[in-house]
Amino acid sequence: MNMNNALLAESRTTVIVTILLYFAATLYLGYRGRTKKGEEGELKDWAVAGRNVGAIVLGLAWSATYFSSYAVLGVSGQAYTEGLSVMNLATAYFVPTAVIMYIMGAAINILGRKNSYMSVGDLLEDRYESKWARLPIIVTTIVFSGYYTGIQLIGAAVVLEQLAGIPYVLALILGSLVLCFYVMMGGFKSTALTDTLQATLLFVALFGGGIIALKITNGEIFQLLIDKFGVEAITSPGLKGLATPRFGMSFNINIILYCFGYMFRQWMLAAESPGSLKKAAGIYSIVCPAGYIFGSILLGIAGLALGIEVVKADYIFPVIAVKFFGPMVGAILVAGVLGAPQSTAASVLAGVSLCTSYDLYRKIINPEATEKSVLLISRSMSVLILIGSFLLAIYSREGIMLLGAIGISFFSVTAPPILASVFWPRATKQGAILAPFIGLAVLCYAVFIHKNPMGIHPGLWGSATSLIALVGISLLTPQSSDEVIHRIPGLISRIYHKDIGSLWFPTKPGMVIAAAIQIIQMFAICYGLKYITSTKLILGMAPQYAWVVGWWLISLFSMWYIFKNTTIDELKS
């Protein structure tokens, strides 16, 4: 692509300087988080960031990992083509994920510090009494993370190409080199620091987008949308009929299960305490959905309402920003958008490198491997995986986009054995090892052979099958030893003040209601957008938009109640 055709062609110097400053800042933070060779605890710094990540950094790192370029470009692009039905797919999963982050994360964090776990694989091996219990997370992480890293590299390169006119291959090289250097320097410790910067830039871009949307429509964004397209623009399934309630529900569940990906388990182990996880979950549950609701979505529907033309829907965010606010805002936006894919790629890359060197090499292939050799392999794998992802991004751009888009679904099949390792004492090693692969087979069928059976997202088919298989196989095989049950689920029951048989569900009436609200709000959002057909504005908002905002606030209150009434006594046995 010629620089003269780029969106910011008239401000080349400003754009290049901004990009260089951004890259320099990430490299500096990566250096600050570097693990010092030869020092005791170097592996702990790489794998779990020294187990001392505080609430603010953790909340922003978790948020940055969850967000990719989809947060800025994808959501606004879908709002531009579909209207408000995009809220089916981009709002209902945040608060339930935050609840899991704290309730599940606290258990993993406590067990990790008590038993010196370096990865979630340590928990699975310890709980199921077999090193092969690591196998499902090794396969899903190594095989599919490369594709997911690749799609983030593509996202960053497309941003630089379309906004700044930097040639696609050169943009790939720049992004890959910077990413490789700071992940190699410090693994998850460096990633925590760089994610904090990237999340901050990302949210500046998101909330800035919302302000732009209101400014260019003079605050009449919803009325303009309704006047131009009618009720179809503010209801589900949208102008193109893609965001059906059923697909929206299954999509949200799949994204919730994405938090069982390897990198998110590592963030849980990295938290300095369960209290930090609680505060971080609060940050994530407010800032992330607000960024979508009051940022990307508003800007996308503003472009739709005003009839602003773009070559590709995903470009609506930067096109509007540059057109109405000039090159300086556009240059800052480049950094914000660029931070989205890079932050996700960094966490995935650190995770797959650790999974390969630690879970596969040290724990299965060579149990005698030294910490030095594990770290060497981690750094080497960072380079090799990036090279592979880079080549795929060049030679198989369309294929990697397909596989990357569904990549997060493959993490969902490992969710049942991870959950059961802590909360269901009857789960067995046979179920934990076999169930994810059965779920994976069904998931592949729903992706490649019979796409989206019954209009349901493939990820839900895979995770549901994995869950059913885990329960069935576990009930047919001998349970774990009493010693393991006492030491892991038993410990959790004591520190959570719950009976060991009821760890996996709420028992107090208030908690039952609060947990039910988390499920109800997903149904309410996905189906409310279809059946609420009024066009009468509420406080200047479309009733469907107000409906979603209201349920988000209700779910936040429900989360607050759950957190307030969950008693966790750290490390008491």
Side-chain angles (χ1 to χ4, degrees):
M1 180 178 180
N2 192 297
M3 177 66 192
N4 294 326
N5 297 324
L7 294 177
L8 298 174
E10 298 178 358
S11 308
R12 179 167 191 153
T13 301
T14 302
V15 173
I16 297 300
V17 170
T18 301
I19 291 171
L20 291 176
L21 287 174
Y22 164 75
F23 282 150
T26 56
L27 288 172
Y28 171 72
L29 290 173
Y31 177 77
R32 285 289 303 272
R34 73 193 186 283
T35 57
K36 297 179 181 179
K37 294 182 179 181
E39 288 194 3
E40 185 178 352
E42 186 181 358
L43 178 59
K44 185 171 74 171
D45 282 347
W46 173 283
V48 291
R51 300 192 204 278
N52 62 359
V53 179
I56 294 176
V57 171
L58 182 62
L60 292 175
W62 182 284
S63 301
T65 303
Y66 236 95
F67 275 171
S68 62
S69 52
Y70 176 73
V72 179
L73 303 179
V75 171
S76 58
Q78 284 183 312
Y80 176 73
T81 56
E82 290 282 336
L84 279 183
S85 66
V86 69
M87 299 185 89
N88 252 0
L89 311 176
T91 55
Y93 59 82
F94 285 108
V95 181
T97 304
V99 173
I100 293 173
M101 179 183 180
Y102 174 50
I103 302 300
M104 173 75 178
I108 289 179
N109 182 266
I110 289 169
L111 290 169
R113 286 186 289 125
K114 185 175 181 63
N115 299 311
S116 299
Y117 296 155
M118 290 294 178
S119 79
V120 67
D122 287 340
L123 167 62
L124 295 175
E125 177 175 341
D126 194 18
R127 167 64 179 83
Y128 295 118
E129 302 176 279
S130 171
K131 66 181 180 181
W132 299 110
R134 299 175 185 267
L135 194 59
I137 64 166
I138 291 173
V139 171
T140 54
T141 301
I142 293 176
V143 173
F144 300 107
S145 289
Y147 289 107
Y148 200 58
T149 301
I151 197 174
Q152 301 310 318
L153 293 179
I154 289 175
V158 167
V159 167
L160 294 176
E161 180 186 41
Q162 297 297 329
L163 299 188
I166 297 176
Y168 177 74
V169 174
L170 177 59
L172 274 177
I173 293 172
L174 286 173
S176 299
L177 285 176
V178 172
L179 185 66
C180 183
F181 277 122
Y182 74 71
V183 171
M184 282 183 63
M185 281 191 282
F188 276 95
K189 189 173 182 180
S190 289
T191 300
L193 296 177
T194 55
D195 274 6
T196 302
L197 169 66
Q198 289 157 342
T200 302
L201 291 172
L202 173 59
F203 293 132
V204 167
L206 288 172
F207 292 120
I211 294 172
I212 292 169
L214 294 175
K215 182 176 177 62
I216 64 177
T217 59
N218 295 317
E220 298 181 356
I221 183 171
F222 296 104
Q223 191 62 58
L224 289 172
L225 186 66
I226 294 169
D227 290 344
K228 187 168 185 177
F229 295 99
V231 71
E232 289 81 8
I234 57 174
T235 56
S236 171
L239 295 173
K240 295 186 180 295
L242 300 177
T244 64
R246 182 183 298 178
F247 186 81
M249 276 295 300
S250 58
F251 180 85
N252 278 284
I253 294 172
N254 185 61
I255 299 298
I256 290 171
L257 295 176
Y258 173 45
C259 78
F260 287 90
Y262 191 94
M263 52 281 190
F264 292 108
R265 303 303 97 194
Q266 292 307 117
W267 287 130
M268 291 179 177
L269 290 169
E272 64 182 0
S273 70
S276 295
L277 275 165
K278 179 192 287 188
K279 295 173 184 176
I283 293 171
Y284 161 78
S285 67
I286 294 173
V287 177
C288 282
Y292 275 176
I293 294 171
F294 304 123
S296 295
I297 292 173
L298 284 182
L299 190 136
I301 63 174
L304 177 63
L306 294 174
I308 297 173
E309 294 185 2
V310 291
V311 175
K312 188 177 179 181
D314 286 357
Y315 301 160
I316 189 63
F317 197 117
V319 164
I320 291 179
V322 174
K323 182 175 182 179
F324 291 95
F325 276 78
M328 182 56 70
V329 172
I332 295 173
L333 181 66
V334 170
V337 177
L338 190 59
Q342 277 217 307
S343 60
T344 302
S347 294
V348 174
L349 184 61
V352 69
S353 300
L354 179 68
C355 185
T356 305
S357 63
Y358 183 78
D359 289 288
L360 178 60
Y361 178 69
R362 186 178 195 179
K363 292 298 182 177
I364 293 182
I365 297 175
N366 182 15
E368 303 301 320
T370 64
E371 183 173 304
K372 181 179 179 180
S373 64
V374 170
L375 286 166
L376 177 62
I377 293 174
S378 289
R379 293 186 168 97
S380 301
M381 285 304 300
S382 298
V383 177
L384 292 175
I385 292 164
L386 265 180
I387 291 174
S389 298
F390 176 85
L391 293 174
L392 284 168
I394 292 178
Y395 296 110
S396 185
R397 188 166 172 175
E398 295 303 320
I400 196 175
M401 290 295 285
L402 170 64
L403 290 170
I406 62 173
I408 60 174
S409 299
F410 291 91
F411 292 121
S412 67
V413 299
T414 63
I418 293 174
L419 270 170
S421 69
V422 176
F423 296 123
W424 192 43
R426 189 61 184 82
T428 66
K429 64 181 178 183
Q430 292 89 345
I433 295 170
L434 296 175
F437 291 108
I438 297 172
L440 188 60
V442 172
L443 174 60
C444 289
Y445 173 81
V447 169
F448 300 109
I449 300 175
H450 184 185
K451 295 183 179 180
N452 302 340
M454 299 173 62
I456 296 174
H457 193 282
L460 184 56
W461 285 107
S463 58
T465 303
S466 177
L467 175 61
I468 294 169
L470 173 68
V471 173
I473 295 171
S474 294
L475 292 177
L476 294 173
T477 51
Q479 68 178 18
S480 301
S481 66
D482 291 341
E483 185 272 332
V484 167
I485 299 300
H486 176 80
R487 185 164 49 81
I488 298 179
L491 173 63
I492 298 303
S493 74
R494 293 189 291 277
I495 62 179
Y496 277 59
H497 299 275
K498 293 189 69 177
D499 181 76
I500 194 171
S502 63
L503 284 174
W504 61 277
F505 61 90
T507 52
K508 298 177 181 178
M511 295 290 275
V512 172
I513 295 172
I517 288 174
Q518 295 298 323
I519 299 172
I520 292 170
Q521 63 95 20
M522 288 194 291
F523 280 95
I525 289 174
C526 291
Y527 284 89
L529 285 169
K530 177 178 181 179
Y531 292 109
I532 298 174
T533 57
S534 172
T535 58
K536 185 177 181 180
L537 300 186
I538 300 173
L539 299 176
M541 297 181 289
Q544 296 78 5
Y545 185 87
W547 175 260
V548 172
V549 172
W551 274 104
W552 169 51
L553 296 175
I554 291 171
S555 65
L556 283 175
F557 178 78
S558 166
M559 182 192 75
W560 170 81
Y561 182 89
I562 291 171
F563 286 5
K564 184 176 185 296
N565 290 277
T566 299
T567 302
I568 300 176
D569 294 333
E570 299 178 34
L571 296 179
K572 290 185 178 180
S573 58

